[in-house]
Amino acid sequence: MNIILLGAPGSGKGTQSEVLCEKKSFTQLSTGDLFRNNIANKTPLGLEAQGYMNQGLYVPDDVTNKMVGDYLESNHEGLIFDGYPRTVDQAKELDLMLAKYDKVIDKVVYIDLDDSVLMSRLTGRVVCEICKRSYHVVTRKPAVEGICDFDGGKLVTRPDDQEDKIKTRLEVYNNQTAPLISFYEDKLVKIPSDGKTPQEVFELIVESLGI
Ligand code: ADP
């Protein structure tokens, strides 16, 4: 089964992917993480992506699609697409790329959350430099301040988690990614997440996927 996690920045896609991989044996394909790895390794792809990401803008579709296409060559089943597709053109290209391997997207999980909650989550978010797990300085603190519970990595604020960048990202999401909700109408399961804990959201996802 291949699934997409759809939702605004801060809706909890990364957190849910992590648990789904751990408990339900999915493999996460996070385009944001792939870009950040490329940036850390100073690859040509990373250098191209960096300017867009730091402004809170999307990396151009052709660059993103090519990166995903390369990934799919070695892995195309049991995937969670986290942060991809983000435009209708990417979604169409993904269908074509999966068809090469006789694969499809089975379900699209849409994590729905109020904009005001998204904002406060993102402004307080810190992520582990090593494993990328996210924490929140108020609502989801690690046992030791600034240190990841799992691997002792340093917790840092992402460059695009500044308030002005977050505003841009939410706007870009509403303009370019929200149209995917109707594009995937047939495969969509909507998970209302306001006021729910990550565990409750996870249970709803599992139930709605029948897994
Ligand atoms: P978030 O979901 O919190 O915005 P991500 O780590 O998924 O964070 O993405 C961070 C940034 O990486 C995006 O703002 C964008 O610049 C770039 N990016 C990630 N995925 C895509 C994509 N599918 N298309 C274009 N740009 C992307």
Side-chain angles (χ1 to χ4, degrees):
M1 177 186 255
N2 288 317
I3 64 171
I4 291 171
L5 288 189
L6 184 62
S11 58
K13 301 187 297 292
T15 304
Q16 295 303 327
S17 302
E18 203 182 283
V19 192
L20 283 161
C21 291
E22 204 176 293
K23 303 211 166 139
K24 299 286 171 185
S25 303
F26 281 98
T27 303
Q28 178 194 26
L29 195 180
S30 158
T31 41
D33 285 346
L34 286 180
F35 282 133
R36 279 184 289 274
N37 289 340
N38 275 281
I39 291 172
N41 295 323
K42 300 195 165 51
T43 67
L45 175 74
L47 291 176
E48 182 165 8
Q50 190 166 28
Y52 297 100
M53 288 177 72
N54 286 348
Q55 290 178 71
L57 301 173
Y58 286 170
V59 178
D61 283 347
D62 54 343
V63 178
T64 309
N65 290 336
K66 163 91 174 57
M67 180 176 74
V68 173
D70 289 346
Y71 180 98
L72 292 178
E73 277 179 18
S74 53
N75 213 341
H76 37 257
E77 178 50 40
L79 294 179
I80 298 181
F81 291 88
D82 166 9
Y84 181 89
R86 268 177 147 108
T87 64
V88 171
D89 281 346
Q90 288 181 11
K92 290 180 180 163
E93 186 59 29
L94 177 59
D95 281 344
L96 294 175
M97 292 193 291
L98 285 173
K100 282 195 218 160
Y101 309 101
D102 265 335
K103 299 289 177 192
V104 291
I105 291 297
D106 296 286
K107 290 278 179 202
V108 178
V109 176
Y110 168 45
I111 307 181
D112 186 25
L113 202 67
D114 196 76
D115 261 16
S116 60
V117 185
L118 297 171
M119 194 61 167
S120 72
R121 278 195 187 181
L122 291 167
T123 47
R125 174 160 81 173
V126 282
V127 295
C128 172
E129 256 182 354
I130 300 170
C131 70
K132 320 295 177 209
R133 282 186 169 86
S134 41
Y135 297 82
H136 189 279
V137 290
V138 180
T139 57
R140 200 173 169 219
K141 290 184 184 176
V144 180
E145 196 184 323
I147 303 290
C148 177
D149 291 343
F150 292 88
D151 55 21
K154 192 173 154 205
L155 301 182
V156 294
T157 299
R158 277 174 29 181
D160 57 348
D161 276 346
Q162 319 280 351
E163 197 163 331
D164 56 331
K165 313 272 174 61
I166 294 171
K167 280 201 181 119
T168 308
R169 282 161 61 210
L170 290 175
E171 258 172 49
V172 172
Y173 169 82
N174 284 325
N175 291 331
Q176 300 197 49
T177 305
L180 289 179
I181 296 165
S182 54
F183 180 86
Y184 283 123
E185 204 176 8
D186 298 346
K187 298 179 177 178
L188 200 80
V189 288
K190 183 171 168 177
I191 311 288
S193 310
D194 280 328
K196 297 206 173 66
T197 63
Q199 175 65 24
E200 287 166 342
V201 173
F202 173 69
E203 280 159 17
L204 281 178
I205 294 176
V206 168
E207 192 185 289
S208 66
L209 293 176
I211 53 175

